[in-house]
């Protein structure tokens, strides 16, 4: 009986996939309700499904104008989906069960840790408490600030400023990319005191729960080891922080050099606003999805550079998408090790397990296949340029939300395909592939070795 129960029980990754799929379906049904659409507009199944998947996968790609097409109720549904998608469906359900019953089962604990990608946590209740403290604390502070800014600096009425401030705070911290303004953040391109906090929220949300928890424990609480020395950050945290700093710096330098004098983007701004908007434009491809300058007016070379930033993405177990910065760091060290002719991949004073190396290579292979396959399909069946197609496909796969403007013009089939790509991108190709596998077999013998020629 126990063996039968074990065979029928689902793997945590399957639970996560089913939970996100259910949330997308429920969101689609809610957005199809007449109350979700503003007067004078109608919502098709494709539009509702695409928007729900985009929200729950915290992508931000849209086929209709969020500010105009959806009513207040529809926008609220989108906001809830963003919040659930960022926090995690399973984590939210576990928290709800914890609040109701005061305890959680071993299975719920495993599912939560699987979704959050946190290893070694022996107290899930305490872990959830820390996540919520960082999560809602940051959102509350940013929502309050943005609401005040919108009311006193832009003259928005109190309730409207609170709604807009709260929506954009949650969307920013969760790397959602949805905006209640038709031109996203372009109306605030010359207001550093508005777009800078939004940019900070995207960066913090993209670091990942393990990094935020470690920063909270070791910096804010100042826990010291015997002898007065601060504890050393974990390898994961060090890689995430260093890669984040490098990518923002290099991305800003690249975008600034190409767009500095472009009259359609940065050319019309003063020097200080150019610097701020360049940084903003370098941060948002990491999965933020907002834009303070016109993406469609950028040089195609800039699009290609942004494609690379979107593919890399943010931190693991974060609200950001992409391959994740630690995956890219692992690949860099694998290449470096191979060039040096060494056998073990070492990072600092630590050796990377071979399983981590295989996971990184598998993730890159699956993601690249999905992006290239979709790009080839769209290029063969639509009239858009390859630059535009690649940009929006990468944005969907990396759950970013930036667009050259072609997503809303794609045929229904292509929009369904992009929605599936966003879903895959949110959960990760490896997680989805693992969830679809009905059983895991272990080989009890090894085959003889033979080396094919490489290169």
């Amino acid at each position: 009986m126990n063996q039968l129960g074990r065979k029928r029980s689902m793997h945590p990754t399957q639970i996560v996939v089913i939970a996100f799929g259910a949330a997308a379906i429920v969101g689609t049904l809610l957005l199809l309700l007449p109350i979700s659409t503003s007067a004078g507009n109608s919502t098709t199944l494709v539009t509702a499904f695409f928007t729900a998947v985009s929200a729950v996968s915290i992508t931000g790609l849209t086929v209709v104008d969020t500010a105009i097409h959806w009513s207040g109720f529809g926008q609220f549904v989108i906001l809830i989906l963003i919040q659930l998608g960022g926090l995690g469906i399973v984590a939210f359900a576990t928290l709800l069960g914890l609040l109701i019953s005061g305890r959680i089962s071993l299975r719920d604990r495993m599912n939560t840790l699987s979704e959050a990608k946190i290893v070694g946590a022996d107290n899930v209740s305490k872990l959830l408490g820390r996540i919520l403290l960082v999560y809602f604390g940051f959102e509350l502070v940013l929502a309050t600030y943005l609401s005040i800014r919108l009311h006193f600096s832009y003259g928005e009425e109190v309730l409207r400023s609170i709604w807009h401030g709260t929506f954009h705070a949650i969307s920013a911290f969760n790397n959602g990319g949805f905006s209640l303004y038709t031109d996203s953040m372009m109306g605030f391109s010359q207001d550093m005191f508005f777009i800078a906090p939004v940019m900070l929220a995207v960066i913090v949300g993209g670091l990942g729960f393990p990094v935020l928890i470690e920063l909270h424990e070791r910096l804010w609480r100042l826990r010291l080891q015997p002898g007065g020395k601060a504890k050393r950050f974990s390898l994961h945290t060090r890689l995430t922080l260093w890669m984040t700093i490098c990518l923002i710096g290099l991305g800003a330098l690249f975008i600034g050099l190409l767009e500095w004098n472009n009259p359609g983007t940065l050319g019309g701004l003063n020097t200080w606003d150019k610097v701020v908007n360049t940084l903003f434009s370098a941060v948002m491809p990491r999965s933020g999805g907002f834009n303070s300058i016109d993406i469609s007016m950028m040089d195609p070379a800039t699009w290609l550079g942004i494609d690379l930033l979107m593919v890399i993405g943010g931190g693991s177990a974060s609200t950001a998408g992409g391959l994740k910065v630690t995956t890219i760091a692992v690949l860099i060290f694998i290449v470096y090790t191979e060039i040096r002719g060494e056998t073990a991949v070492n990072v600092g004073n630590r050796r990377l397990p071979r399983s981590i190396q295989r996971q990184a290579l598998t993730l890159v292979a699956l993601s690249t296949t999905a992006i290239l396959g979709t790009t080839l399909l769209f290029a063969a069946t639509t009239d858009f340029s390859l630059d535009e197609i690649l940009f929006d496909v990468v944005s969907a796969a990396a759950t970013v939300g930036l667009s050259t403007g072609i997503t809303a013009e794609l045929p229904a089939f292509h929009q369904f395909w992009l929605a599936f790509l966003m879903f895959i991108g949110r959960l990760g190709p490896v997680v989805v592939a693992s969830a679809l596998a009905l059983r895991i077999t272990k080989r009890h013998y090894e085959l003889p070795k033979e080396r094919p020629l490489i290169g």
Side-chain angles (χ1 to χ4, degrees):
M1 188 68 177
N2 291 336
Q3 291 179 351
L4 181 61
R6 281 196 295 269
K7 289 181 179 179
R8 290 182 177 178
S9 63
M10 289 187 292
H11 192 274
T13 55
Q14 293 176 311
I15 299 293
V16 173
V17 173
I18 292 174
F20 271 87
I25 293 174
V26 173
T28 300
L29 296 177
L30 290 175
L31 291 177
L32 281 173
L33 297 176
I35 193 177
S36 296
T37 307
S38 60
N41 294 316
S42 60
T43 301
T44 64
L45 175 62
V46 177
T47 299
F49 179 73
F50 188 95
T51 303
V53 173
S54 182
V56 80
S57 65
I58 49 178
T59 301
L61 280 177
T62 58
V63 292
V64 293
D65 190 336
T66 306
I68 297 176
H69 182 86
W70 303 109
S71 65
F73 178 79
Q75 293 171 356
F76 180 74
V77 170
I78 292 173
L79 186 64
I80 295 300
L81 291 175
I82 293 173
Q83 187 73 85
L84 289 177
L87 178 60
I89 310 297
V90 175
F92 176 79
T94 302
L95 174 65
L96 187 63
L98 181 63
L99 294 176
I100 295 175
S101 64
R103 57 188 178 84
I104 54 178
S105 66
L106 176 61
R107 178 177 297 177
D108 290 335
R109 185 181 300 117
M110 293 173 60
N111 292 337
T112 303
L113 294 178
S114 174
E115 182 178 51
K117 293 185 175 66
I118 297 176
V119 180
D122 54 352
N123 192 330
V124 177
S125 303
K126 188 176 181 180
L127 171 66
L128 284 173
R130 292 172 182 169
I131 290 177
L132 290 179
L133 177 65
V134 174
Y135 219 91
F136 294 118
F138 202 97
E139 288 180 349
L140 179 61
V141 172
L142 181 61
T144 302
Y145 173 81
L146 293 182
S147 300
I148 294 173
R149 185 72 181 171
L150 288 171
H151 177 65
F152 289 102
S153 298
Y154 294 90
E156 291 192 4
E157 60 182 20
V158 176
L159 293 180
R160 180 181 174 87
S161 62
I162 292 175
W163 170 237
H164 281 192
T166 301
F167 188 98
H168 289 93
I170 293 176
S171 184
F173 186 74
N174 288 281
N175 283 227
F178 280 88
S179 175
L180 296 182
Y181 300 107
T182 300
D183 57 359
S184 189
M185 296 285 133
M186 290 176 61
F188 305 97
S189 61
Q190 299 182 60
D191 185 359
M192 182 196 73
F193 295 102
F194 191 92
I195 63 174
V198 171
M199 178 170 58
L200 178 62
V202 170
I203 294 174
V204 173
L207 291 177
F209 295 134
V211 175
L212 293 178
I213 291 172
E214 190 169 351
L215 288 173
H216 174 261
E217 287 184 344
R218 303 189 183 186
L219 289 183
W220 297 355
R221 296 185 179 183
L222 297 178
R223 290 184 176 180
L224 302 179
Q225 291 180 333
K229 293 184 179 180
K231 290 184 178 180
R232 183 181 180 87
F233 284 122
S234 66
L235 177 61
H236 171 76
T237 296
R238 282 182 280 141
L239 287 176
T240 301
L241 293 177
W242 276 112
M243 287 291 292
T244 298
I245 293 172
C246 291
L247 288 173
I248 292 176
L250 293 175
L253 180 62
F254 175 82
I255 294 173
L257 288 174
L258 292 180
E259 299 295 327
W260 194 263
N261 295 316
N262 184 345
T265 55
L266 296 175
L269 303 175
N270 61 44
T271 301
W272 176 249
D273 287 335
K274 284 183 178 181
V275 172
V276 174
N277 282 272
T278 296
L279 286 170
F280 191 87
S281 300
V283 169
M284 292 305 130
R286 309 286 313 292
S287 198
F290 297 111
N291 62 283
S292 60
I293 56 178
D294 193 346
I295 298 295
S296 65
M297 297 299 292
M298 285 183 170
D299 188 278
T302 307
W303 285 348
L304 188 58
I306 292 178
D307 287 341
L308 181 59
L309 291 176
M310 291 192 294
V311 166
I312 295 174
S316 296
S318 72
T319 57
L323 293 173
K324 304 299 189 297
V325 291
T326 46
T327 304
I328 301 302
V330 168
L331 289 180
I332 292 174
F333 281 103
I334 289 175
V335 173
Y336 177 73
T337 300
E338 192 65 27
I339 291 175
R340 288 174 56 90
E342 298 178 353
T343 56
V345 179
N346 300 316
V347 181
N349 59 350
R350 293 291 186 269
R351 178 171 55 86
L352 294 181
R354 293 188 180 275
S355 59
I356 295 296
Q357 300 173 41
R358 291 195 299 268
Q359 289 176 17
L361 293 172
T362 301
L363 181 58
V364 171
L366 292 176
S367 297
T368 302
T369 301
I371 291 173
L372 293 181
T374 301
T375 301
L376 180 61
L377 173 65
F378 283 22
T381 55
T382 66
D383 296 327
F384 299 109
S385 69
L386 182 60
D387 293 329
E388 293 173 318
I389 292 173
L390 179 62
F391 190 97
D392 281 44
V393 167
V394 171
S395 181
T399 67
V400 176
L402 297 175
S403 175
T404 59
I406 70 170
T407 297
E409 301 177 26
L410 290 172
F413 170 78
H414 296 71
Q415 291 178 354
F416 265 118
W417 190 286
L418 275 188
F420 179 71
L421 199 60
M422 290 188 291
F423 186 82
I424 297 292
R426 174 64 179 99
L427 298 177
V430 174
V431 173
V432 175
S434 300
L436 295 177
L438 297 178
R439 60 193 179 95
I440 301 176
T441 59
K442 183 177 181 180
R443 192 185 297 270
H444 297 284
Y445 60 90
E446 291 187 357
L447 298 173
K449 290 182 179 180
E450 184 173 352
R451 299 173 62 91
L453 297 178
I454 301 296

